[in-house]
Amino acid sequence: MAKCSLAIELDEPDRLYTSNDRIRGTVVVRADDDVQCKALKVRSGWATHGRGNIDSHDLHSEVLFQGQWRSGEEHRYRFDLPVSAWPPTYHGRFLSVDHYVHATADIPWAFDPKESRPYQVVSSKAPEAGIAEKKTVSPVVGGIVKFFFIAVALFMLFNPMLWIFGIPIGIGVGIWWFFKTYLPRKLLGQVEYTFDQETFQPGETLRATLRVHPKKDIPINSVIWTVTGAEVCVSGSGSNRRTHRHELFRGGQLVDELRILPGNKETLIPLELQLPDKPCFTMSLGSNQILWETKIRIDIPRWPDWNHSLAMQLAPSKELVQAATVETVDNGGGVSTQPTAAAGEEPDVTFAATLEMIQSVIGDDRQVDRIVDAVRELPMQLNLIPQRRELYSSSSKDHAYADGHVVIGQTIEPVLPVTMFIPRSLADEFDQATDRPWSGEGSIVGYDHRQNRLLLRIEP
């Protein structure tokens, strides 16, 4: 058991932070016994949670105190930390991004008490059009990779037995290229597909242009243009690697009034689409991404269709930051950056509202059971902090997966202890999320009055 407890008090808990801001507050330490603290550390940063592997970044860390606390004492330590400019706070179906202030007390020969406090961030500009900064590959690593591929190629060249496998594969690739790329390009001649600008903001009109210049008249059925935005999250690795995809938006345009592309003449086809006004910005955070892509197809009768895809960037703007700030003031604080319809409709009964009702009647078992029965097995978006695995107990027999696991943890806000029944397919994901926020789909299945824990069943 920890000999002290930590709490974090933010000076402006409802503020919407942005680039170049600083977050200020106090770490409150309450000692239950005489404690020798090697270091009281506080740090700011962000972390993802949801279906994908956890990606995180600590922007700044500092030591607030080193020394001894006496039993019964309360101490307060001020902090002033920078705010990450990117990525912004985001809550979706399979991906959530939150910014935190973390405090940890390093106590020898005891559990280190920890505390986290989330805060909201909105960005006015995305670095490199929404691509998170990544470490560049060193020349040494690049040289090793090139040497490896050259060695494999030479090994295959001087080993005739491998030609038996290489020749059919090469023939198959050649046939695929001939039908998918060469024949459409040969028929249509010069084809150019471009955007009118490099990046777009939510709510803007996406404008693109298709230019075709064939050498002779070409009959076509139609031109199909699609625009999609999606959360793409990767969990696990190796044979346990899984990709989770949730579509945020799908739109497009069908051009079927044009039946002939005239020869020796450039045909210009303008394309327009209203983008959603939700802040689902292009993001690449390692295993977790929000991707926007456009695809265009020229449907040619009795001939392979011409296909092309082009990624687009949906980025924030200063106007969006100003609008969000106004909304925060109008609502009295607490503006949510969570996408609504574009990121999937939330249930009428939210997990946070249910927790508040349960917390308000804690101690009255009858009232707790009434609330739990009212929402039992309703699908909800859960926000949790897994802490450790536990052996099956009497409370597990009715709700646990046959080949799954039981995980002990807590909710984020308000804080309630929970027991989570997770399927085997999510075991690695929960192991990675230990003491870090996790978000996903599940339901409330009961309440354990003996251990005072809410029982949750996590959906695979």
Side-chain angles (χ1 to χ4, degrees), residues 30 50 80 82 232 270 272 274 302 316 379:
R30 297 179 178 90
D80 183 345
V232 181
E272 287 191 2
Q274 185 75 24
R302 300 180 300 278

Side-chain angles (χ1 to χ4, degrees), residues 12-18 21 89 120-122 320-321 324-325 328 335-337:
E12 300 174 278
D14 297 325
R15 178 179 172 183
L16 202 59
Y17 293 86
T18 185
D21 278 345
T89 299
Q120 296 190 75
V121 172
V122 61
L320 285 173
V321 175
T325 304
T328 303
V335 62
S336 172
T337 56

